[in-house]
mmCIF file of all heavy atoms in Angstrom:
data_model
loop_
_atom_site.group_PDB
_atom_site.id
_atom_site.type_symbol
_atom_site.label_atom_id
_atom_site.label_comp_id
_atom_site.label_asym_id
_atom_site.label_seq_id
_atom_site.Cartn_x
_atom_site.Cartn_y
_atom_site.Cartn_z
ATOM 1 N N PRO A 223 3.410 -8.891 34.459
ATOM 2 C CA PRO A 223 2.305 -9.452 35.243
ATOM 3 C C PRO A 223 2.105 -8.708 36.554
ATOM 4 O O PRO A 223 3.065 -8.311 37.219
ATOM 5 C CB PRO A 223 2.744 -10.905 35.472
ATOM 6 C CG PRO A 223 3.715 -11.192 34.379
ATOM 7 C CD PRO A 223 4.420 -9.891 34.114
ATOM 8 N N GLY A 224 0.847 -8.518 36.922
ATOM 9 C CA GLY A 224 0.529 -7.860 38.174
ATOM 10 C C GLY A 224 0.671 -6.353 38.150
ATOM 11 O O GLY A 224 0.527 -5.700 39.185
ATOM 12 N N GLN A 225 0.953 -5.788 36.971
ATOM 13 C CA GLN A 225 1.114 -4.339 36.846
ATOM 14 C C GLN A 225 0.189 -3.826 35.741
ATOM 15 O O GLN A 225 0.631 -3.539 34.632
ATOM 16 C CB GLN A 225 2.571 -3.980 36.544
ATOM 17 C CG GLN A 225 3.551 -4.476 37.587
ATOM 18 C CD GLN A 225 4.968 -4.051 37.284
ATOM 19 O OE1 GLN A 225 5.312 -2.880 37.284
ATOM 20 N NE2 GLN A 225 5.808 -5.031 37.005
ATOM 21 N N PRO A 226 -1.087 -3.716 36.022
ATOM 22 C CA PRO A 226 -2.045 -3.312 34.983
ATOM 23 C C PRO A 226 -1.885 -1.849 34.593
ATOM 24 O O PRO A 226 -1.459 -1.014 35.395
ATOM 25 C CB PRO A 226 -3.401 -3.555 35.654
ATOM 26 C CG PRO A 226 -3.123 -3.432 37.115
ATOM 27 C CD PRO A 226 -1.742 -3.971 37.320
ATOM 28 N N GLU A 227 -2.226 -1.565 33.364
ATOM 29 C CA GLU A 227 -2.312 -0.192 32.883
ATOM 30 C C GLU A 227 -3.753 0.272 33.072
ATOM 31 O O GLU A 227 -4.694 -0.489 32.822
ATOM 32 C CB GLU A 227 -1.916 -0.103 31.406
ATOM 33 C CG GLU A 227 -0.462 -0.428 31.130
ATOM 34 C CD GLU A 227 0.487 0.614 31.703
ATOM 35 O OE1 GLU A 227 0.064 1.772 31.899
ATOM 36 O OE2 GLU A 227 1.656 0.261 31.978
ATOM 37 N N ARG A 228 -3.922 1.526 33.498
ATOM 38 C CA ARG A 228 -5.257 2.054 33.790
ATOM 39 C C ARG A 228 -5.561 3.237 32.868
ATOM 40 O O ARG A 228 -4.689 4.067 32.602
ATOM 41 C CB ARG A 228 -5.360 2.458 35.256
ATOM 42 C CG ARG A 228 -5.027 1.306 36.207
ATOM 43 C CD ARG A 228 -5.208 1.689 37.663
ATOM 44 N NE ARG A 228 -4.708 0.652 38.544
ATOM 45 C CZ ARG A 228 -5.383 -0.460 38.856
ATOM 46 N NH1 ARG A 228 -6.611 -0.644 38.355
ATOM 47 N NH2 ARG A 228 -4.858 -1.374 39.650
ATOM 48 N N PHE A 229 -6.804 3.284 32.409
ATOM 49 C CA PHE A 229 -7.224 4.301 31.457
ATOM 50 C C PHE A 229 -8.583 4.862 31.868
ATOM 51 O O PHE A 229 -9.453 4.114 32.317
ATOM 52 C CB PHE A 229 -7.355 3.718 30.051
ATOM 53 C CG PHE A 229 -6.134 2.987 29.550
ATOM 54 C CD1 PHE A 229 -5.938 1.637 29.872
ATOM 55 C CD2 PHE A 229 -5.194 3.620 28.765
ATOM 56 C CE1 PHE A 229 -4.819 0.958 29.414
ATOM 57 C CE2 PHE A 229 -4.075 2.949 28.301
ATOM 58 C CZ PHE A 229 -3.888 1.610 28.623
ATOM 59 N N VAL A 230 -8.756 6.150 31.689
ATOM 60 C CA VAL A 230 -10.068 6.785 31.769
ATOM 61 C C VAL A 230 -10.345 7.336 30.381
ATOM 62 O O VAL A 230 -9.632 8.220 29.892
ATOM 63 C CB VAL A 230 -10.104 7.907 32.825
ATOM 64 C CG1 VAL A 230 -11.463 8.595 32.815
ATOM 65 C CG2 VAL A 230 -9.802 7.346 34.209
ATOM 66 N N LEU A 231 -11.358 6.799 29.722
ATOM 67 C CA LEU A 231 -11.597 7.093 28.311
ATOM 68 C C LEU A 231 -12.676 8.145 28.128
ATOM 69 O O LEU A 231 -13.588 8.283 28.944
ATOM 70 C CB LEU A 231 -12.012 5.814 27.580
ATOM 71 C CG LEU A 231 -11.098 4.590 27.760
ATOM 72 C CD1 LEU A 231 -11.634 3.428 26.951
ATOM 73 C CD2 LEU A 231 -9.654 4.919 27.362
ATOM 74 N N ALA A 232 -12.563 8.867 27.035
ATOM 75 C CA ALA A 232 -13.626 9.787 26.643
ATOM 76 C C ALA A 232 -14.887 8.976 26.376
ATOM 77 O O ALA A 232 -14.816 7.799 25.980
ATOM 78 C CB ALA A 232 -13.215 10.562 25.389
ATOM 79 N N PRO A 233 -16.071 9.559 26.600
ATOM 80 C CA PRO A 233 -17.318 8.814 26.352
ATOM 81 C C PRO A 233 -17.367 8.214 24.951
ATOM 82 O O PRO A 233 -17.087 8.879 23.959
ATOM 83 C CB PRO A 233 -18.404 9.881 26.537
ATOM 84 C CG PRO A 233 -17.805 10.852 27.498
ATOM 85 C CD PRO A 233 -16.344 10.899 27.141
ATOM 86 N N SER A 234 -17.682 6.934 24.886
ATOM 87 C CA SER A 234 -17.778 6.224 23.612
ATOM 88 C C SER A 234 -18.693 5.023 23.793
ATOM 89 O O SER A 234 -18.989 4.612 24.913
ATOM 90 C CB SER A 234 -16.394 5.769 23.139
ATOM 91 O OG SER A 234 -15.777 4.948 24.106
ATOM 92 N N ALA A 235 -19.133 4.458 22.671
ATOM 93 C CA ALA A 235 -20.070 3.338 22.737
ATOM 94 C C ALA A 235 -19.387 2.050 23.183
ATOM 95 O O ALA A 235 -20.027 1.181 23.771
ATOM 96 C CB ALA A 235 -20.737 3.136 21.379
ATOM 97 N N TYR A 236 -18.090 1.908 22.898
ATOM 98 C CA TYR A 236 -17.397 0.669 23.253
ATOM 99 C C TYR A 236 -15.907 0.948 23.408
ATOM 100 O O TYR A 236 -15.408 2.028 23.076
ATOM 101 C CB TYR A 236 -17.637 -0.418 22.207
ATOM 102 C CG TYR A 236 -17.241 -0.026 20.798
ATOM 103 C CD1 TYR A 236 -15.925 -0.125 20.365
ATOM 104 C CD2 TYR A 236 -18.190 0.429 19.882
ATOM 105 C CE1 TYR A 236 -15.553 0.232 19.087
ATOM 106 C CE2 TYR A 236 -17.834 0.787 18.593
ATOM 107 C CZ TYR A 236 -16.518 0.684 18.203
ATOM 108 O OH TYR A 236 -16.149 1.047 16.923
ATOM 109 N N VAL A 237 -15.190 -0.077 23.888
ATOM 110 C CA VAL A 237 -13.739 -0.002 24.051
ATOM 111 C C VAL A 237 -13.079 -0.780 22.922
ATOM 112 O O VAL A 237 -13.448 -1.918 22.637
ATOM 113 C CB VAL A 237 -13.305 -0.587 25.410
ATOM 114 C CG1 VAL A 237 -11.780 -0.676 25.500
ATOM 115 C CG2 VAL A 237 -13.861 0.255 26.546
ATOM 116 N N ALA A 238 -12.104 -0.144 22.270
ATOM 117 C CA ALA A 238 -11.312 -0.813 21.240
ATOM 118 C C ALA A 238 -9.873 -0.925 21.744
ATOM 119 O O ALA A 238 -9.343 0.020 22.332
ATOM 120 C CB ALA A 238 -11.360 -0.027 19.935
ATOM 121 N N LEU A 239 -9.261 -2.087 21.502
ATOM 122 C CA LEU A 239 -7.862 -2.236 21.913
ATOM 123 C C LEU A 239 -7.079 -3.039 20.892
ATOM 124 O O LEU A 239 -7.626 -3.900 20.197
ATOM 125 C CB LEU A 239 -7.763 -2.848 23.309
ATOM 126 C CG LEU A 239 -8.250 -4.282 23.550
ATOM 127 C CD1 LEU A 239 -7.115 -5.281 23.299
ATOM 128 C CD2 LEU A 239 -8.755 -4.447 24.966
ATOM 129 N N VAL A 240 -5.791 -2.726 20.800
ATOM 130 C CA VAL A 240 -4.851 -3.442 19.941
ATOM 131 C C VAL A 240 -3.598 -3.694 20.762
ATOM 132 O O VAL A 240 -3.096 -2.795 21.434
ATOM 133 C CB VAL A 240 -4.503 -2.636 18.672
ATOM 134 C CG1 VAL A 240 -3.514 -3.408 17.800
ATOM 135 C CG2 VAL A 240 -5.747 -2.293 17.878
#
Side-chain angles (χ1 to χ4, degrees):
Q225 302 182 65
E227 294 292 336
R228 304 183 188 280
F229 307 85
V230 177
L231 308 181
S234 57
Y236 56 83
V237 173
L239 65 89
V240 180

